[in-house]
């Protein structure tokens, strides 16, 4: 039987939905009784293989009771039964009746939701009516919503798993806007970690939200495309760059104006995959493309009665130029986001000879190629080096290859990347989610290099985005560079996932970012592609240290460490690189709140210091490292470990939260002023609640601040019970999208829609309550990655694969909670059986008995019981099987032994013993002083110091190379505590730590230098 109502996902206009409606049916009422409204249909017999599908938009009520989500479109059969009474479930396994849909919390309020129900349980029954029912548990509350696109008909056949790329819909995460994110993605067809993205665009004049799945539709409620675009967008917030748009036009003239040339289509007429994009427009035009690394092949088919056959070449602005010599199209574009952007060149060859000229309207630089045949193929490649290199890239990747051959090659490499995880017993939506997430993980970061040699003898080079241009041209350097990663987001899960699933690739990716350090002196905080003054933390430090500690064989581990050490010890002169607030933060032990987002800068720094300390410690044990460097590494490790414990300096026991401190050392707010639900200020993109657990490297120490494991559990319980109202804007001018998304999660303050919250559920493992970790992680997996078939699929921004990697890890029952420590927290697997086959690694089989339940009863690794909710990376890599026994009720498994942590109790912070005063002791690198021979100081009372630090000055040639540290009890008799020679300071304003080999209890200290020196700061640390 077939039933269809409505005209496409329309619905009310709202900031979150962003849709317009033409056919949706409104439902409204007051709770307290069961509501049922007939949709009046013709009777028909249900056949096996059919499904019920509809779209529903529940409006959010003022009391946040979500009553409108207790809704279902039910089938009434002629025998008196209903679909909701015969055991039907939706596509995610939730009970299919109005109360069950609401209780599952899978329907988002103020957004369209896609509901699908298999009808095999009702096969043979005859439908008498279709009714909309509302059955909320509250009484007396007004509710309202919209229903659209009710369909009864055959379900599409299940995929057989032979082509994993077929599970991927690249439109996942595109049903979104700046006001509410369900991914904020582009529908990207590309090579894994490719040089280019190719994406359809609904707005060819923006470098931000270029493709919006179902927003700003035309009068017929159809989406319109304005072009197929070469893109390099890391995120809409960072902005795209060097966009080159190609659009087929079947009008009499080659329309250059993007809005005039726009062509309408239905999403059912799109194929959006990693290896292929195709679309059939309502005007009879069709377009297909398949990617190579540096280019793509396009195939355009014009209707036989087309008034004209044109391909328009365009950019988002006037910064571009195109030419055609009868054999090849050449040109360049340079537009969009500016952080490290350089000119992109192109070279294209058509299957047919074209006439070339200006487009009709639009931008002045838009050009058109016109043909007199119905089908045209275009092979085109790009380069950041030159037009000649673009031609070379075309010859290497596209020349002499058919559309099918190019698409099959892309399909093969995507299947290789996707095959690392093979679940058994997964539903179709779960498989789409697994492989959709693996696709997103493998899009980023992007290669920025090109083969300047031959296929047989490649020689790689790149146009450096971190080296200043010369005469407006990019400097071309040999080697490989990678770009496009927001480390504040990606360090949490994406980089551990590269190390876990693609260890050999991970090594190349890491070194490709270390190349930024070699070129420009720093690794970008947010590479897009160059240095951008964006986000908090220098989280490449812990990302790359973590990879090294997990056994990734880095090409240059010392340079990798040094890049992080510079972030951790050098005050930058530019805001785009390094750590903010470091001028005083390095010496106070925290970033004071005269730096915006100070708590975030501080807490991220402690995490990064921890990772660097662990890497330094491992390098110090590597016999291939020069002996003199190994000793220095040991000192730096000890110092950085201690510094990573300085989080205690920002914990205010008067409020039981972390909060900012002023430059004078006082906490920024009184207990009466501090509101942990208020956003912004000292916290990045969230509030004090979501930073209350931001010490993932030292959970036992954090628990101590809350009174021990029971106190941590109580704090977490309160966190998950305190609702996010999305009203306390704090220092933001408006209610930002992250607030609305955090509210939509409906799990208290747990703002899972943004990265700062992603580790929090796993902290229950340190609170003696791992069963709560298991339940919460399973709820996230079940509820928050839905809507993938109408362009949703994520609860917030899917930042460069991070939110995808969270799902993948959690679905395996693992999580890299303590990034920088080679281990995984244990959760609860989603699938009965899954085979993980890392490329270049050893296969691992993870099984879960009774996988429908989340609670762990026992874990066995190769048959041996694992009693703690953590497993080392080494143990996991050595294992062949991990067996989970799950159950319906919590057990005491994992609750009797704490997983590893940096500290065993609340740690003591690393503090300077020297009283403040004078340019060498004023806790700032903004001042400096010359020392002819001796500098001395006395403490208020005797103390034992563990370290001292010297900070180099701004001028080259003024650094000390040797000295003697002495101490005295009475100021008369002096003992040598440390003596150095042959020391170097690699950078200006670098803090170098030195461990005191023979510490003692002294009140008076002095440093003696053989020659005059200039220093910025001296510390004596306890």
């Amino acid at each position: 039987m077939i039933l269809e109502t409505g005209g496409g996902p329309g619905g009310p206009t709202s900031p979150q939905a962003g849709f317009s409606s033409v056919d949706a049916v409104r439902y409204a009422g007051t709770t307290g009784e069961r509501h049922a409204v007939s949709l009046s249909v013709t009777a028909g017999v249900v056949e096996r293989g059919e499904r019920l599908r509809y779209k529903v938009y529940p409006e959010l009520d003022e009391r946040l009771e979500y009553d409108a989500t207790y809704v279902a479109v039910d089938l009434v059969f002629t025998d008196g039964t209903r679909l909701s009474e015969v055991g039907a479930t939706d596509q995610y396994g939730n009970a299919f009746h109005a109360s069950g849909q609401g209780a599952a919390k899978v329907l988002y309020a103020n957004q369209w939701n896609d509901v699908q129900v298999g009808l095999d349980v009702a096969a043979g029954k005859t439908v008498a009516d279709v009714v909309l029912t509302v059955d909320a548990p509250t009484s007396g509350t007004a509710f309202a919503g919209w229903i659209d696109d009710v369909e009864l008909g055959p379900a599409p056949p299940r995929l057989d798993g032979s082509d994993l790329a077929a599970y991927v819909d690249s439109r996942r995460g595109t049903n979104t806007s700046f006001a509410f994110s369900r991914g904020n993605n582009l529908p990207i067809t590309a090579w894994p970690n490719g040089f280019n993205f190719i994406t359809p665009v609904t707005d060819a004049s923006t470098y931000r939200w270029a493709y919006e799945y179902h927003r700003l539709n035309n009068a017929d409620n159809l989406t319109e495309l304005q072009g197929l675009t070469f893109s390099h967008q890391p995120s809409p917030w960072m902005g795209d760059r060097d966009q080159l748009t190609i659009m087929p036009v079947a009008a009499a003239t080659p329309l250059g104006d993007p809005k005039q040339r726009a062509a309408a289509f239905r999403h059912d007429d799109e194929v959006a995959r990693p290896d292929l994009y195709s679309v059939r427009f309502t005007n009879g035009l069709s377009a297909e493309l398949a990617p190579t690394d540096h280019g793509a092949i396009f195939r355009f088919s014009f209707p036989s009665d087309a008034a004209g056959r044109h391909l328009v070449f365009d950019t988002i602005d006037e910064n571009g130029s195109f030419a055609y010599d009868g054999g090849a199209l050449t040109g360049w574009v340079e537009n969009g986001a500016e952080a490290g952007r350089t000119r992109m060149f192109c070279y294209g060859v058509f299957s047919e000879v074209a006439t070339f000229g200006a487009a009709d309207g639009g931008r002045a630089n838009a050009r058109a190629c016109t043909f007199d045949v119905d089908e045209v193929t275009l092979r085109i490649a790009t380069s950041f080096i030159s037009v000649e290199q673009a031609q070379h890239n075309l010859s290497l990747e596209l020349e002499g290859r058919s559309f099918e051959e190019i698409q099959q090659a892309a399909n093969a490499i995507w299947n290789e990347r996707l095959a690392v995880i093979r679940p058994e017993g997964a539903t179709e939506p779960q498989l789409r989610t697994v492989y959709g997430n693996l696709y997103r993980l493998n899009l980023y970061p992007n290669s920025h290099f090109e083969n300047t040699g031959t296929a047989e003898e490649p020689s790689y080079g790149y146009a450096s985005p971190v080296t200043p241009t010369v005469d407006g041209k990019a400097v071309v350097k040999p080697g490989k560079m990678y770009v496009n990663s927001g480390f504040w987001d990606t360090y949490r899960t994406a980089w551990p996932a590269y190390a876990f699933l693609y260890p050999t690739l991970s090594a190349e990716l890491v070194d490709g970012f270390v190349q930024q350090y070699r070129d420009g002196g720093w690794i970008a905080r947010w590479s897009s592609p160059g240095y951008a003054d964006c986000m908090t933390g220098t989280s490449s430090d812990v990302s790359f240290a973590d990879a090294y500690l997990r056994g990734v064989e880095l090409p240059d581990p010392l340079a990798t460490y040094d890049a992080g050490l510079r972030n951790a010890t050098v005050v930058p002169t530019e805001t785009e690189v390094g750590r903010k607030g470091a001028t005083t933060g390095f010496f106070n032990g925290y970033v004071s709140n005269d730096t915006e987002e100070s708590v975030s800068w501080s807490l991220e720094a402690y995490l990064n210091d921890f990772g660097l300390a662990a890497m330094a410690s491992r390098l110090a044990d590597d016999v291939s490292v020069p002996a003199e460097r190994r000793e220095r590494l040991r000192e730096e490790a000890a110092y950085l470990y201690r510094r990573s414990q300085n989080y205690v300096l920002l914990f205010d026991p008067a409020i039981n939260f972390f909060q900012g401190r002023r430059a004078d050392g006082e906490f920024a707010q009184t207990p009466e002023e501090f509101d942990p639900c208020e956003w912004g200020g000292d916290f990045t993109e969230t509030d004090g609640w979501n930073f209350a657990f931001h010490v993932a490297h030292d959970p036992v120490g954090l628990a101590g601040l809350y009174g021990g494991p029971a106190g941590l559990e109580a704090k977490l319980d309160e966190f998950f019970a305190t609702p996010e109202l999305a009203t306390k804007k704090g220092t933001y001018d408006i209610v930002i999208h992250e607030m609305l998304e955090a509210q939509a999660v409906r799990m208290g303050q747990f703002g899972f829609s943004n990265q700062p919250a992603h580790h929090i559920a796993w902290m229950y493992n340190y609170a003696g309550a791992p069963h709560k970790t298991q339940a919460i992680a399973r709820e996230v997996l079940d509820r928050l990655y839905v809507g993938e078939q109408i362009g949703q699929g994520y609860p917030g921004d899917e930042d460069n694969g991070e939110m995808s990697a969270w799902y993948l890890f959690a679905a395996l029952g693992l999580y890299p909670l303590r990034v920088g420590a080679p281990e995984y927290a244990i959760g609860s697997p989603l699938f009965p059986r899954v085979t993980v086959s890392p490329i270049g690694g050893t296969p691992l089989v993870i099984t879960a008995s009774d996988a429908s339940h989340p609670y762990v009863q026992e874990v066995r690794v190769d048959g041996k019981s694992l009693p703690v909710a953590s497993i080392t990376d080494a143990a996991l890599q050595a294992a062949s099987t991990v067996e989970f026994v799950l159950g319906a009720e919590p057990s005491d498994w994992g609750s009797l032994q704490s997983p590893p942590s940096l500290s065993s109790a609340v740690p003591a912070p690393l503090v300077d013993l020297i009283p403040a005063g004078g340019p060498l002791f004023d806790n700032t690198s903004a001042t400096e002083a010359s020392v002819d021979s001796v500098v001395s100081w006395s403490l208020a009372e005797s103390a034992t110091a563990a370290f001292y630090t010297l900070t180099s000055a701004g001028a080259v040639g003024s650094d000390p190379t040797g000295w003697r540290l002495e101490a005295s009890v009475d100021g008369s008799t002096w003992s040598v505590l440390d003596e150095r020679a042959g020391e170097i300071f690699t950078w200006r304003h670098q803090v170098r730590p030195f461990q005191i080999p023979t510490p003692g209890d002294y009140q008076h200290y002095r440093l003696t230098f053989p020659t005059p020196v200039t220093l910025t700061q001296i510390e004596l640390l306890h």
Side-chain angles (χ1 to χ4, degrees):
M1 63 173 294
I2 301 290
L3 164 70
E4 294 187 8
T5 68
T13 298
S14 81
Q16 294 94 320
F19 305 149
S20 58
S21 172
V22 292
D23 295 305
V25 176
R26 184 170 173 80
Y27 66 93
T30 303
T31 60
E33 60 184 36
R34 192 179 188 199
H35 296 257
V37 179
S38 173
L39 297 180
S40 302
V41 300
T42 304
V45 178
V46 174
E47 299 177 6
R48 294 190 65 82
E50 291 190 319
R51 70 175 177 184
L52 165 68
R53 186 182 189 184
Y54 58 89
K55 314 296 191 304
V56 59
Y57 183 105
E59 295 182 6
L60 180 60
D61 57 278
E62 292 184 359
R63 293 164 58 179
L64 302 184
E65 291 178 337
Y66 296 88
D67 295 302
T69 67
Y70 290 81
V71 62
V73 173
D74 208 353
L75 302 184
V76 180
F77 301 113
T78 54
D79 63 3
T81 62
R82 293 178 175 231
L83 180 63
S84 59
E85 299 169 346
V86 296
T89 59
D90 66 16
Q91 71 266 45
Y92 303 115
N94 301 307
F96 184 69
H97 43 71
S99 60
Q101 289 286 284
K105 297 198 298 184
V106 76
L107 301 180
Y108 274 71
N110 284 359
Q111 293 180 57
W112 282 106
N113 299 269
D114 181 32
V115 181
Q116 301 178 36
V117 187
L119 299 181
D120 284 359
V121 293
K125 291 179 178 285
T126 300
V127 176
D129 200 1
V130 178
V131 297
L132 184 149
T133 63
V134 179
D135 189 11
T138 61
S139 180
T141 302
F143 65 82
W146 301 76
I147 293 288
D148 203 358
D149 285 0
V150 181
E151 304 174 18
L152 282 169
R158 269 186 76 106
L159 298 173
D160 63 9
S162 60
D163 180 8
L164 300 180
Y167 287 109
V168 179
D169 188 332
S170 65
R171 296 168 298 184
R172 184 189 193 98
T174 64
N175 195 339
T176 187
S177 75
F178 64 90
F180 198 100
S181 176
R182 294 298 300 273
N184 260 335
N185 301 341
L186 288 173
I188 293 165
T189 295
W191 206 253
N193 303 111
F195 187 82
N196 292 312
F197 296 149
I198 307 101
T199 179
V201 295
T202 57
D203 185 347
S205 300
T206 181
Y207 66 101
R208 296 198 182 275
W209 283 266
Y211 179 100
E212 294 181 284
Y213 183 89
H214 228 300
R215 191 167 181 264
L216 306 178
N217 286 357
N218 66 15
D220 296 323
N221 202 23
L222 293 177
T223 309
E224 294 182 324
L225 284 190
Q226 296 182 358
L228 304 169
T229 297
F230 280 93
S231 162
H232 309 88
Q233 187 188 91
S235 86
W237 305 106
M238 299 305 293
D240 208 341
R241 62 185 182 278
D242 293 322
Q243 292 162 280
L244 165 60
T245 296
I246 305 165
M247 182 64 187
V249 175
T253 63
L255 302 173
D257 184 279
K259 292 182 179 179
Q260 289 186 357
R261 73 184 184 225
F265 69 100
R266 294 178 175 84
H267 287 297
D268 287 346
D269 294 326
E270 266 184 310
V271 174
R273 293 168 39 126
D275 57 332
L276 174 69
Y277 178 82
S278 70
V279 60
R280 187 175 71 253
F281 298 103
T282 57
N283 65 4
L285 261 173
S286 66
E288 305 167 273
L289 68 90
T292 65
D293 194 352
H294 296 83
I297 186 169
F298 294 80
R299 187 162 59 195
F300 302 98
S301 297
F302 295 87
S304 57
D305 60 350
R309 298 163 181 81
H310 318 281
L311 295 181
V312 174
F313 293 82
D314 199 4
T315 69
I316 63 168
D317 55 26
E318 301 292 349
N319 294 310
S321 178
F322 304 99
Y324 179 67
D325 63 5
L329 176 89
T330 58
W332 60 269
V333 296
E334 188 173 355
N335 54 51
E338 297 179 355
R341 183 193 75 203
T342 59
R343 182 166 292 187
M344 185 183 78
F345 305 91
C346 66
Y347 185 93
V349 177
F350 301 105
S351 59
E352 307 293 332
V353 176
T355 57
F356 181 77
D360 183 3
R363 287 174 276 269
N365 59 342
R367 293 292 180 269
C369 291
T370 299
F371 305 89
D372 58 7
V373 295
D374 291 344
E375 184 172 294
V376 177
T377 299
L378 167 64
R379 293 170 176 82
I380 185 169
T382 68
S383 169
F384 288 120
I385 296 175
S386 65
V387 169
E388 292 74 21
Q389 180 63 39
Q391 181 180 6
H392 185 57
N393 292 341
L394 186 147
S395 69
L396 289 171
E397 299 178 5
L398 291 148
E399 196 169 80
R401 302 173 69 200
S402 69
F403 188 100
E404 289 72 23
E405 288 171 331
I406 290 170
Q407 188 266 324
Q408 288 165 11
N411 178 267
I413 193 170
W414 273 111
N415 271 281
E416 180 184 31
R417 292 288 186 95
L418 300 176
V420 294
I421 297 178
R422 299 298 298 257
E424 299 176 31
T427 65
E428 199 87 347
Q430 287 172 337
L431 290 170
R432 288 194 296 267
T433 301
V434 166
Y435 293 115
N437 286 337
L438 279 168
Y439 150 78
R440 284 290 302 179
L441 178 67
N442 278 281
L443 282 177
Y444 297 96
N446 297 103
S447 65
H448 198 73
F449 55 88
E450 307 172 51
N451 182 4
T452 61
T454 65
E456 296 75 20
E457 297 183 10
S459 177
Y460 297 104
Y462 60 91
S464 178
V466 298
T467 302
T469 58
V470 176
D471 297 328
K473 296 181 180 180
V475 175
V476 178
K477 296 200 169 189
K480 293 183 176 183
M481 180 176 283
Y482 281 88
V483 298
N484 284 5
S485 184
F487 290 104
W488 181 81
D489 299 294
T490 56
Y491 85 84
R492 306 162 197 272
T493 61
W495 283 97
Y498 301 139
F500 179 40
L501 299 172
Y502 311 101
T504 302
L505 171 66
S506 177
E508 179 172 308
L509 298 179
V510 169
D511 202 63
F513 281 98
V514 176
Q515 194 67 30
Q516 295 186 359
Y517 162 71
R518 298 185 187 104
D519 278 8
W522 306 85
I523 294 174
R525 292 201 303 268
W526 218 124
S527 171
S528 59
Y531 300 136
D533 184 9
C534 183
M535 304 312 296
T536 49
T538 54
S539 299
S540 59
D541 305 347
V542 71
S543 300
F544 300 166
D546 185 76
Y548 172 75
L549 294 162
R550 294 183 188 277
V552 172
E553 296 182 4
L554 302 182
D556 193 350
L558 271 177
T560 304
Y561 170 76
D562 284 342
L565 182 67
R566 186 172 196 186
N567 286 327
T569 61
V570 175
V571 177
T573 58
E574 305 293 335
T575 60
E576 293 84 1
V577 295
R579 299 184 185 179
K580 289 191 177 180
T583 301
T584 58
F586 283 156
F587 310 112
N588 289 331
Y590 60 88
V591 175
S592 59
N593 76 333
D594 51 10
T595 295
E596 190 177 1
E597 303 172 313
S598 63
V599 173
S600 296
W601 274 106
S602 297
L603 293 179
E604 298 292 357
Y606 306 138
L607 287 164
N608 282 289
D609 286 349
F610 168 74
L612 287 170
M615 186 176 188
S617 182
R618 180 76 63 83
L619 283 168
D621 292 334
D622 185 344
V623 295
S624 68
V625 175
E628 65 275 11
R629 186 67 197 273
R630 297 209 304 271
E631 187 55 40
R632 177 174 167 179
L633 285 162
R634 289 189 183 94
E635 287 187 304
E636 289 165 349
Y639 166 73
L640 290 167
Y641 270 133
R642 285 292 308 279
R643 209 171 74 171
S644 75
Q645 297 171 316
N646 276 356
Y647 62 86
V648 299
L649 296 173
L650 290 182
F651 186 79
D652 184 355
I655 59 173
N656 218 29
F657 283 94
F658 294 101
Q659 73 150 316
R661 292 177 69 169
R662 299 194 299 264
D664 63 8
E666 295 298 318
F667 283 111
Q669 294 181 291
T670 66
E672 293 74 25
E673 294 169 330
F674 183 81
D675 183 349
C677 295
E678 191 170 276
W679 280 60
D682 289 320
F683 308 103
T684 301
E685 293 185 358
T686 188
D687 59 13
W689 263 119
N690 279 276
F691 269 90
F693 311 98
H694 211 80
V695 190
H697 62 296
D698 196 11
V700 171
L702 176 69
L705 292 176
Y706 293 124
L712 176 60
E713 181 181 12
K715 190 74 172 180
L716 287 163
D717 287 348
E718 186 182 1
F719 169 79
F720 283 100
T722 303
E724 172 56 62
L725 303 177
T727 57
K728 297 187 176 182
K729 296 181 293 185
T731 56
Y732 291 104
D733 294 333
I734 60 172
V735 174
I736 62 174
H737 72 101
E738 287 91 349
M739 299 178 194
L740 295 170
E741 293 151 15
Q743 178 191 64
V745 167
R746 290 201 272 170
M747 297 178 73
Q749 283 291 303
F750 186 41
F752 184 82
S753 54
N754 205 10
Q755 280 70 22
H758 279 190
H759 71 288
I760 294 176
W762 306 87
M763 299 295 274
Y764 272 117
N765 283 358
Y766 287 85
H771 66 282
K772 294 183 178 179
T773 288
Q774 298 150 21
I776 293 167
R778 180 64 68 89
E779 182 177 351
V780 171
L781 293 171
D782 287 344
R783 286 185 47 231
L784 300 185
Y785 288 79
V786 297
E788 77 284 351
Q789 288 189 294
I790 57 169
Q792 297 167 345
Y794 297 99
D797 283 354
E798 202 299 294
D799 289 297
N800 304 143
E802 190 283 336
M803 196 167 283
S804 292
W806 193 100
Y807 181 98
L808 297 169
F809 274 125
L812 298 176
L814 306 169
Y815 189 76
L817 172 62
R818 298 177 67 228
V819 182
E823 65 194 43
Y824 298 96
I826 298 294
S828 174
L830 185 60
F831 308 114
R833 180 184 175 93
V834 59
T835 302
V836 182
S837 303
I839 296 177
T842 304
L844 171 70
V845 175
I846 300 174
T847 63
S849 64
D850 205 5
S852 61
H853 297 299
Y855 296 113
V856 177
Q857 314 294 307
E858 185 182 4
V859 179
R860 295 185 293 268
V861 180
D862 285 342
K864 184 178 179 180
S865 180
L866 180 71
V868 65
S870 178
I871 185 171
T872 67
D873 189 86
L876 194 67
Q877 288 192 42
S880 58
T881 62
V882 179
E883 303 167 88
F884 286 78
V885 178
L886 303 181
E889 299 295 332
S891 74
D892 64 358
W893 176 86
S895 64
L896 305 178
Q897 181 179 340
S898 177
S901 186
L902 175 59
S903 308
S904 58
V906 177
L910 187 65
V911 295
D912 188 2
L913 296 170
I914 305 175
L920 294 179
F921 309 117
D922 55 2
N923 293 332
T924 175
S925 62
T927 60
E928 59 184 45
S930 296
V931 179
D932 289 334
S933 177
V934 178
V935 59
S936 60
W937 63 92
S938 296
L939 309 182
E941 57 185 29
S942 60
T944 301
F947 302 90
Y948 64 101
T949 72
L950 304 180
T951 302
S952 59
V956 177
S958 62
D959 301 335
T961 58
W963 58 84
R964 185 171 63 251
L965 175 67
E966 297 172 292
S968 172
V969 173
D970 56 9
S972 299
T973 304
W974 295 86
S975 302
V976 176
L977 299 186
D978 191 29
E979 195 160 9
R980 302 280 170 151
E983 297 291 345
I984 61 170
F985 288 77
T986 307
W987 305 289
R988 303 301 84 220
H989 295 296
Q990 180 189 8
V991 180
R992 280 206 57 199
F994 304 95
Q995 199 160 14
I996 297 174
T998 56
D1001 199 45
Y1002 300 100
Q1003 187 172 8
H1004 310 283
Y1005 293 82
R1006 70 186 182 193
L1007 274 166
T1008 302
F1009 301 95
T1011 59
V1013 300
T1014 303
L1015 291 168
T1016 291
Q1017 196 70 194
I1018 298 172
E1019 294 179 291
L1020 189 69
L1021 300 170
H1022 172 69

